[in-house]
Amino acid sequence: MPLYMPRVGRSPIVILCMMLACSRAAFALGDSSYVETIPSRGAFPIVQNKTAAEIILDTNDFPCVLIASGNLRTDISRVTGVDPRLPSGEPNKDAMPILIGTLGRSEWIDRLVRERKMDVSPIAGKWESWVTQVVPGPFPGIARALVICGSDKRGTIFGIYDLSENIGVSPWYFWTDVPPKHHDELFVKAGKYVHGPPAVKYRGIFLNDEAPDLTGWAKEKFGGYNHAFYTNIFELLLRLKANYLWPAMWDNGFGEDDPLNAKLADDYGIVMGTSHVEPMMRADKEWGRAGFTAKEWNFQTHSNELKAFWREGVERNRDYEKIITIAMRGKIDTPMSQTANIGLLEEIIDAQRKIISGVMHTNAAAVPQLWALYKEVQEYYEKGMRVPDDVTLLWCDDNWGDIRRLPPPSDRGRSGGAGIYYHFDYVGGPRNYKWINSVQNAKTWEQMELAYHYGADRIWIVNVGHLQHVTFPTEFFLTLAWDPKKWTADRVSTFGEMWASREFGEEFAPQIADVMSRYTKLSARRKPELLSPETYSLVNYNEADRVLADWMKLAADAKDIYLKLPSDERDAFYETVLYPVQASEIVNELYIDVAKNRLYASQGRPVANDYATMAGSLFHADAELSDYYNQVLADGKWDHMMDQTHIGYTGWQQPPTNIMPAVTDIEVPETAKLGVAVEGSKQVWPGPSEEAVLPAFDKFNQPTRYIDVFNKGKAPMTVTIQASAPWILTSKAEGFGMASRFAVTINWKDAPEGITNGFVKVCDETNVVFVRVPVFNPRKPSSESIKGFVETGGYVSIEAEHFTRNVRSHSVRWDIIPDLGRTLSSMGIFPVTASSVTPPKDSPHLEYRMFLFDSGKLNVETILSPTLNFVSGRGLRFALSFDGQPPQIVTAVPADYTAGDGNHDWEDTVANSARTIKTPFSLSKPGEHTLKVWMVDPGIVLQKIVVDCGGLKPSYLGPPESFYR
């Protein structure tokens, strides 16, 4: 396989390693395991002495329970190699069976309850709840049984698959090829294990933007989106304790593509729906298939056709569990009209509910329905349109993971409740993102924490694109939906380690979780489709090289783990960890190499041609990785799953094929010619009239700077480099090939106090270039006396979690959200439902002490997460102040802000994964100051602060954090 190695001298590296066996933790994520491989007192033997417990069912139970029970039998065999029996009658005497059933549908379970052998009061009448219990003496002649009892059909199913996960079968065993770890014997510890109900009633995924990857794969492996394909989707959802699906819709019709699809979904126990643009259980493409291609999708002109079309959709699904999407958008995911025609939409909804009532022979309120307030549809609601209380209001994000609006208090008592339609994948502005995972679990947690506490807990559904690329965040989303209270901010990283332990064993779980955390942070800061040669600065703060170093270290760490894993776990690791890491590293390196090629070509550096060659090699390496994924990985199981183009975007839509970014080859003259470039500038010397100056050196950060010296021609050239003072140190003294980078540092022990300028002289036989070395070595303050941060280079750069003081106000506080953000972490306000305040009264605030060397005007740049104005009529505000100044209220997002295409501020914000706000201040004196960040509205998430005293240079991430104590 093309195990791509980050560039280290461009040489292939061969690593020999021992194969290490890893024990895999067996438990549902977030819960303690109740399965063991060595029996304890009172334990129930699932498999012992090569004999498996019988699985006893009542054949009158739900079909979905029978299906899941059959899968449990297969799972036990996968783990132990022993097949349990599924007898059709009573359990054998002296046997110890696994009894599975649903309250009210299983005679075995109901008999246990009648005879008071089992207390089901913790789950009776509850939604999707279950008890797993070792019951002694359940029936005459039976010593004990393992009972899985569900409050309803999915409660029973979830109990079954919970046991499967506990014995060591990953929910993703099919989708990511995670092999079960073999055990000869399995036991359930004595006790009673109660689960449910879930916090969010309907939890599911949307297979959208599914072409080319999922569509190509489904056509090759199953012949399309038929029941054979959906069997794998339904089983996955249930194993993840999810219950809801919007099916693939781009060029597909779930109910028509295969007549068995809808019935199979119900047989499995899946609640079906249709997307935000597909009302009344009809797929978008079915309109044309029904012969209406020439007829406008317009209720004003074709109401009779539309009513008949919709009636057929409800009739086709009359007997199946569903949530019906109501209302109407324009064709192919567009607005229905240029303005919000409330009267027309109310007429449409009235007609739809009459159809629902007539077909279902019941009041429409008895049939679950949703109204998706997607994009412009939200305008209808904001202009006063309302739907019946029983309809769920499905609020939406901005397609980039930022929730646009949440239920106001007046809507939180509606019987239909509220939900969220969220995105891990999107086709649209400012650019598609659908290739590989670029989602931070920390951000998902932060946004869905808002949703849950503001009452959006009826439906959580997430757009997962082609699914296989977002398995990690998808499971987190669905796990969070089950019990949001369990997953506090500081436990999000725990999820990663639990996931890694379950999938790959405990030995490498901390390292794998760390790789996934770093990977998602690096990819989320700028989605790969949005990268360009201009993204990261080549000259300021060594930004591009620092970013590339992070990616190279990550890729090396991921490959090191891969080589240490047992061979049967490598495919799974490649699919979920190694491929996205390596592919992302390649794409980042490619764009940075192209940037260097263009810069160096403009400077006349011959090495520009080398970077053009290296960029071309990286472009081909990316293609090789995709080909390996499609054609070789898992014996070709995933062919087409990495067909998605991702290099060479010029607008919002993907390029038809990956396009190599343009590079420049230069003609290298025969004669030698000196070239000198310095950190912080794109200029080349000799030539420009301005002086060559390195960024300032300071005693606090004690940086290393660089000077690039190169030969613009082919003929040999001898160069000498000499410092003007012994306390200026250079890494080399003389002699080099075509190019060299000289590191410049300061011997601070001998450097003079105050502001000093030295020089480094670079010369060949005919040219001399003096590079000024500005040194800032103040006598006061000393590094040891600093309390807080200190200005260097004309700025102070602060990571939000490094506050000097965190001041609460009553029960409201700023708390860290670990790992959220582009660089380190973030600070958010909790509880998220806190009331807005006007500081300083009742306002919690963060204090950041700093030492500034000058007085006068400055700007404070606050870098925030892209959170939107999710409360109607209220924007997002915070306040800033220095020292004892009155707090200055800053509006990050106005109350009337509208996220979406055409709003350039929004497009920049989501592309940058951050919102930057500049606030001017004036300070009357230098010295110690305290910057205070005050709460005004909850929802503000602070990532970073940069105090620009006049020296801040352009960059994507801002300067590295300043010296602080």
Side-chain angles (χ1 to χ4, degrees):
M1 61 170 291
L3 265 181
Y4 175 74
M5 287 299 296
R7 183 171 68 229
V8 182
R10 296 288 177 179
S11 299
I13 296 177
V14 178
I15 299 177
L16 299 178
C17 66
M18 297 179 63
M19 301 304 296
L20 302 175
C22 305
S23 61
R24 183 177 294 112
F27 50 82
L29 299 189
D31 294 331
S32 299
S33 177
Y34 52 81
V35 171
E36 53 194 1
T37 56
I38 299 174
S40 57
R41 184 176 179 180
F44 176 86
I46 298 175
V47 175
Q48 187 177 30
N49 297 326
K50 297 184 179 181
T51 301
E54 296 177 342
I55 299 176
I56 304 298
L57 299 160
D58 187 329
T59 55
N60 292 317
D61 214 323
F62 295 96
C64 50
V65 171
L66 306 183
I67 292 170
S69 298
N71 287 338
L72 174 63
R73 178 178 183 269
T74 302
D75 290 342
I76 293 171
S77 178
R78 284 188 178 111
V79 173
T80 65
V82 180
D83 292 328
R85 291 180 63 245
L86 281 168
S88 57
E90 295 188 4
N92 294 326
K93 300 297 182 183
D94 301 322
M96 287 191 286
I98 301 173
L99 297 177
I100 298 174
T102 309
L103 285 172
R105 289 293 291 252
S106 169
E107 174 57 30
W108 300 107
I109 297 297
D110 292 348
R111 180 178 165 188
L112 286 175
V113 174
R114 284 196 308 271
E115 295 176 359
R116 298 189 178 182
K117 299 289 183 67
M118 189 174 183
D119 176 16
V120 295
S121 59
I123 66 166
K126 294 182 179 178
W127 179 261
E128 296 181 347
S129 303
W130 76 92
V131 173
T132 300
Q133 183 176 356
V134 178
V135 177
F139 304 120
I142 297 177
R144 58 185 178 273
L146 174 64
V147 180
I148 300 174
C149 169
S151 62
D152 53 23
K153 62 184 180 182
R154 277 187 296 274
T156 309
I157 294 170
F158 295 156
I160 292 167
Y161 286 133
D162 189 70
L163 179 60
S164 287
E165 191 172 356
N166 269 268
I167 68 174
V169 178
S170 169
W172 299 97
Y173 77 92
F174 174 82
W175 286 97
T176 62
D177 298 309
V178 180
K181 193 71 176 178
H182 177 81
H183 295 290
D184 289 333
E185 298 187 328
L186 295 170
F187 304 87
V188 173
K189 292 186 284 189
K192 182 177 183 178
Y193 307 95
V194 180
H195 300 267
V200 177
K201 188 171 185 178
Y202 296 103
R203 310 161 306 282
I205 64 173
F206 178 20
L207 299 174
N208 190 28
D209 313 327
E210 64 270 25
D213 294 349
L214 190 64
T215 297
W217 178 77
K219 285 181 178 178
E220 177 172 309
K221 303 302 181 182
F222 301 101
Y225 289 108
N226 52 30
H227 72 281
F229 165 82
Y230 277 111
T231 295
N232 298 292
I233 294 290
F234 299 154
E235 182 183 326
L236 171 70
L237 287 172
L238 296 168
R239 286 181 182 268
L240 294 172
K241 300 181 181 67
N243 58 11
Y244 185 41
L245 177 68
W246 289 357
M249 58 83 70
W250 263 22
D251 195 28
N252 310 293
F254 180 78
E256 289 187 348
D257 291 342
D258 184 342
L260 295 178
N261 280 346
K263 183 179 187 305
L264 185 74
D266 199 66
D267 285 347
Y268 264 78
I270 295 295
V271 182
M272 290 303 300
T274 48
S275 74
H276 57 294
V277 300
E278 300 175 304
M280 302 292 281
M281 303 303 292
R282 295 306 301 260
D284 176 80
K285 292 298 182 286
E286 289 179 4
W287 178 251
R289 295 178 185 178
F292 297 131
T293 304
K295 296 184 183 294
E296 188 181 5
W297 176 261
N298 186 323
F299 193 80
Q300 289 177 305
T301 58
H302 295 89
S303 62
N304 289 334
E305 291 90 341
L306 280 164
K307 289 177 185 178
F309 180 71
W310 290 335
R311 183 176 293 105
E312 184 180 328
V314 179
E315 288 174 344
R316 187 172 61 193
N317 294 275
R318 178 194 293 117
D319 299 328
Y320 305 143
E321 197 174 2
K322 57 193 168 292
I323 302 175
I324 300 176
T325 298
I326 62 169
M328 187 176 181
R329 287 191 79 217
K331 202 78 176 78
I332 317 178
D333 203 5
T334 59
M336 185 173 66
S337 59
Q338 294 300 312
T339 57
N341 189 336
I342 291 175
L344 176 61
L345 195 57
E346 288 177 337
E347 182 183 350
I348 291 169
I349 291 173
D350 181 63
Q352 290 172 337
R353 284 172 66 85
K354 287 178 179 176
I355 292 171
I356 293 169
S357 177
V359 172
M360 301 298 294
H361 305 297
T362 185
N363 190 312
V367 182
Q369 299 154 62
L370 67 83
W371 182 30
L373 303 175
Y374 182 75
K375 285 191 175 180
E376 84 290 340
V377 180
Q378 184 178 309
E379 181 186 351
Y380 287 80
Y381 177 90
E382 291 171 347
K383 288 187 175 180
M385 179 175 166
R386 294 296 182 266
V387 293
D389 264 19
D390 60 273
V391 177
T392 302
L393 298 180
L394 191 68
W395 300 91
C396 305
D397 69 351
D398 61 353
N399 304 301
W400 290 74
D402 310 298
I403 295 173
R404 298 180 70 196
R405 194 57 48 89
L406 287 169
S410 60
D411 273 350
R412 292 178 201 166
R414 299 175 72 261
S415 60
I420 293 294
Y421 169 36
Y422 203 68
H423 284 75
F424 290 160
D425 171 288
Y426 182 55
V427 169
R431 192 163 287 181
N432 295 352
Y433 66 96
K434 49 187 291 197
W435 173 39
I436 51 179
N437 179 28
S438 55
V439 178
Q440 269 192 299
N441 283 350
K443 177 173 180 177
T444 300
W445 177 87
E446 183 265 329
Q447 287 291 293
M448 299 314 292
E449 176 83 351
L450 293 176
Y452 178 67
H453 287 285
Y454 278 79
D457 60 2
R458 184 62 54 88
I459 300 170
W460 284 11
I461 188 163
V462 60
N463 183 334
V464 298
H466 73 257
L467 179 62
Q468 205 194 30
H469 64 313
V470 290
T471 57
F472 183 59
T474 295
E475 182 163 8
F476 178 73
F477 179 89
L478 296 173
T479 302
L480 185 66
W482 184 270
D483 188 0
K485 292 180 180 179
K486 181 180 292 184
W487 300 101
T488 54
D490 56 354
R491 292 200 72 219
V492 175
S493 61
T494 304
F495 174 89
E497 192 160 335
M498 289 179 171
W499 169 84
S501 180
R502 185 195 67 194
E503 305 295 84
F504 305 109
E506 296 178 0
E507 182 175 358
F508 300 110
Q511 299 97 304
I512 294 171
D514 175 65
V515 164
M516 290 300 284
S517 174
R518 288 153 56 200
Y519 161 69
T520 52
K521 178 184 286 290
L522 293 178
S523 60
R525 63 168 47 150
R526 187 81 176 182
K527 295 183 183 296
E529 293 89 343
L530 283 152
L531 290 171
S532 75
E534 294 74 39
T535 299
Y536 299 113
S537 176
L538 292 177
V539 298
N540 294 324
Y541 311 121
N542 289 317
E543 183 176 57
D545 285 337
R546 288 189 295 109
V547 167
L548 185 54
D550 287 344
W551 275 112
M552 288 181 167
K553 177 65 165 61
L554 182 63
D557 291 347
K559 185 187 176 186
D560 182 63
I561 296 168
Y562 173 88
L563 292 172
K564 292 177 180 176
L565 288 173
S567 58
D568 66 339
E569 295 179 5
R570 289 185 173 185
D571 282 352
F573 187 81
Y574 187 85
E575 292 162 28
T576 56
V577 182
L578 187 58
Y579 172 80
V581 167
Q582 288 191 327
S584 296
E585 193 282 327
I586 286 174
V587 171
N588 275 267
E589 187 177 358
L590 166 62
Y591 280 114
I592 290 172
D593 279 5
V594 170
K596 289 182 176 180
N597 161 261
R598 295 177 184 179
L599 174 63
Y600 296 163
S602 72
Q603 295 174 333
R605 301 197 203 190
V607 74
N609 295 339
D610 295 333
Y611 276 98
T613 300
M614 292 188 288
S617 297
L618 289 164
F619 184 75
H620 291 298
D622 170 83
E624 289 175 0
L625 281 188
S626 296
D627 288 345
Y628 175 83
Y629 200 111
N630 286 337
Q631 299 170 18
V632 180
L633 176 68
D635 297 324
K637 177 180 177 180
W638 300 113
D639 195 14
H640 296 294
M641 201 59 97
M642 282 301 156
D643 284 353
Q644 177 63 49
T645 57
H646 49 274
I647 300 174
Y649 277 76
T650 57
W652 71 267
Q653 184 58 281
Q654 67 192 44
T657 60
N658 287 327
I659 300 172
M660 172 67 192
V663 293
T664 301
D665 286 311
I666 63 172
E667 291 289 335
V668 181
E670 295 295 330
T671 57
K673 185 177 180 181
L674 175 66
V676 177
V678 301
E679 180 179 345
S681 175
K682 294 182 179 181
Q683 299 289 343
V684 177
W685 290 265
S689 58
E690 63 264 28
E691 183 182 21
V693 184
L694 284 171
F697 294 79
D698 69 275
K699 72 171 183 180
F700 303 103
N701 292 292
Q702 299 187 8
T704 297
R705 307 297 188 192
Y706 68 81
I707 299 173
D708 285 345
V709 182
F710 48 92
N711 183 353
K712 292 185 177 183
K714 295 179 181 178
M717 180 178 67
T718 301
V719 172
T720 60
I721 181 167
Q722 183 178 2
S724 64
W727 43 267
I728 301 175
L729 309 177
T730 59
S731 60
K732 295 183 180 181
E734 61 180 343
F736 75 115
M738 291 294 290
S740 273
R741 172 162 288 187
F742 292 80
V744 181
T745 55
I746 303 299
N747 179 352
W748 292 101
K749 180 181 178 181
D750 297 333
E753 289 186 347
I755 299 175
T756 308
N757 284 291
F759 293 89
V760 171
K761 183 174 73 173
V762 182
C763 57
D764 63 0
E765 293 85 348
T766 58
N767 297 284
V768 177
V769 175
F770 289 95
V771 180
R772 182 153 61 90
V773 181
V775 178
F776 184 52
N777 188 22
R779 185 169 60 88
K780 291 183 178 180
S782 66
S783 298
E784 292 74 19
S785 67
I786 288 291
K787 294 180 180 178
F789 292 83
V790 62
E791 174 196 348
T792 54
Y795 64 84
V796 182
S797 180
I798 302 169
E799 293 290 351
E801 74 168 69
H802 292 153
F803 50 82
T804 311
R805 189 165 172 246
N806 187 348
V807 181
R808 295 185 174 212
S809 178
H810 306 298
S811 60
V812 184
R813 67 200 185 279
W814 290 86
D815 264 356
I816 187 172
I817 306 176
D819 208 38
L820 175 60
R822 303 191 307 178
T823 49
L824 181 62
S825 61
S826 296
M827 298 297 295
I829 296 160
F830 297 91
V832 295
T833 53
S835 299
S836 299
V837 296
T838 301
K841 184 180 179 182
D842 297 328
S843 174
H845 65 275
L846 301 168
E847 296 183 359
Y848 299 90
R849 292 184 62 175
M850 63 191 71
F851 191 98
L852 305 179
F853 289 97
D854 292 297
S855 60
K857 295 181 179 180
L858 55 80
N859 285 311
V860 175
E861 290 193 359
T862 42
I863 300 171
L864 312 173
S865 287
T867 311
L868 294 170
N869 49 330
F870 60 90
V871 173
S872 178
R874 187 188 80 189
L876 281 181
R877 299 164 295 170
F878 62 101
L880 298 172
S881 66
F882 268 104
D883 307 323
Q885 295 177 353
Q888 181 175 334
I889 293 180
V890 181
T891 298
V893 185
D896 60 354
Y897 189 91
T898 301
D901 298 339
N903 181 340
H904 297 306
D905 175 80
W906 172 81
E907 290 174 348
D908 290 343
T909 297
V910 296
N912 295 334
S913 295
R915 173 176 283 110
T916 300
I917 310 291
K918 292 184 180 180
T919 309
F921 284 90
S922 183
L923 299 179
S924 60
K925 62 180 181 179
E928 291 188 350
H929 295 278
T930 299
L931 174 66
K932 297 178 182 179
V933 182
W934 303 82
M935 171 202 160
V936 177
D937 299 315
I940 287 286
V941 177
L942 177 65
Q943 295 187 12
K944 187 172 181 175
I945 302 167
V946 180
V947 180
D948 180 9
C949 304
L952 184 64
K953 305 295 184 184
S955 65
Y956 183 74
L957 299 171
E961 191 168 33
S962 299
F963 176 88
Y964 76 99
R965 287 175 62 86

